[in-house]
Amino acid sequence: MPAAKPAPDPDPTYDPHAIFDQNGPLHPGFMREAIRTLMRALPIDPEEPAPQATRRMYCALLSLAALNPRDEIEVMLAVQALAAYHAAAAGWRLGMNHHLPNGDSTRHVSMAASAARTFDTMLKALERRQAKPLSVPIGRPAAKCWPKDNPDATMETWAVLCREDDVPQPETPEPPVTWTQQSLNVAAELREQDRRAAEDADLDIANTDGILPDGGMIMPEHPTPQQEAYIARRLGLGYRRTYEESRRNGIDVLPPIRPIRPGDLVP
């Protein structure tokens, strides 16, 4: 079996970071807008230290250069691929490592998986395009000299060129919010109050007599229309909670409907 041929040495004259140069192969105005679009898509946490955010932006530029875009279309594909990657990373963090889960973990994980697939799709689209030589139409005008510019540091220059509103950042980040057990209990109580208010939004609670402190009611012999509506709502919610609990236990059967007689407790 013949030995595999060694990979050719990289061209020492090729500079992947030349796309950021003001006199580089791509128009600086287009690159300015592309980088601005990429920076706006990054998940920057306002509470994280400024060096971490700067490092994430700088690494995004390194990733853009590593994809070796040759023209404006390939820059657009590369920016979309990197935006999908950062969206997936943010989704994994929210779905799996959030400091206070709020019931949306499954949705965040699904979003992250979808963004990861989009990242792979965009990379394959870019690779298919880069496998072919660039088409040059007949009669293309001669290249022009790009306007000169004098940037200072890389990220500082792009921040000035791309940022629409210069929002001053605090010198020291604010300490993260620490949720105590008492705060969690208060939040749970408020959510429960909001849930009950939403369930009773279209009921005439003010004119409904006989409601117990825990929300239940003793079935009267001759209920008023307001009491009938309230009892029907409580029964419907109870059957729904029973059905959802059965579904979580692997039982997909509707709960039996029991008759209600005067004097029965409607929970």
Side-chain angles (χ1 to χ4, degrees), residues 135-247:
S135 60
V136 180
I138 300 176
R140 167 176 282 187
K144 299 180 180 179
C145 295
W146 302 120
K148 294 183 179 181
D149 201 355
N150 296 316
D152 297 324
T154 302
M155 290 312 305
E156 183 178 349
T157 299
W158 285 117
V160 173
L161 295 174
C162 302
R163 187 181 302 160
E164 291 182 348
D165 300 321
D166 188 4
V167 180
Q169 299 293 332
E171 295 182 359
T172 56
E174 297 181 359
V177 177
T178 301
W179 288 83
T180 63
Q181 187 59 44
Q182 182 180 3
S183 300
L184 293 175
N185 295 338
V186 172
E189 183 178 352
L190 292 176
R191 286 196 297 267
E192 179 65 18
Q193 292 178 1
D194 293 340
R195 183 186 65 80
R196 291 184 178 181
E199 292 175 351
D200 301 337
D202 56 345
L203 299 177
D204 189 5
I205 300 298
N207 296 319
T208 304
D209 297 329
I211 299 178
L212 301 177
D214 61 352
M217 177 179 288
I218 301 299
M219 180 67 181
E221 185 175 0
H222 301 290
T224 64
Q226 293 86 353
Q227 290 175 327
E228 289 181 352
Y230 184 80
I231 292 173
R233 175 63 57 82
R234 299 292 297 186
L235 290 175
L237 292 175
Y239 288 135
R240 186 179 70 180
R241 286 192 292 268
T242 302
Y243 178 68
E244 291 175 350
E245 181 66 23
S246 299
R247 287 287 301 274

Side-chain angles (χ1 to χ4, degrees), residues 90-147:
W92 293 128
R93 173 181 176 273
L94 291 174
M96 305 182 72
N97 297 311
H98 202 268
H99 69 281
L100 181 62
N102 52 9
D104 294 338
S105 298
T106 303
R107 179 171 62 87
H108 290 308
V109 170
S110 299
M111 182 274 291
S114 177
R117 290 191 294 269
T118 302
F119 175 64
D120 180 69
T121 300
M122 300 308 302
L123 286 183
K124 291 179 179 178
L126 182 59
E127 292 171 354
R128 286 195 303 269
R129 195 174 196 276
Q130 291 179 334
K132 303 177 182 179
L134 292 176
S135 60
V136 180
I138 300 176
R140 167 176 282 187
K144 299 180 180 179
C145 295
W146 302 120

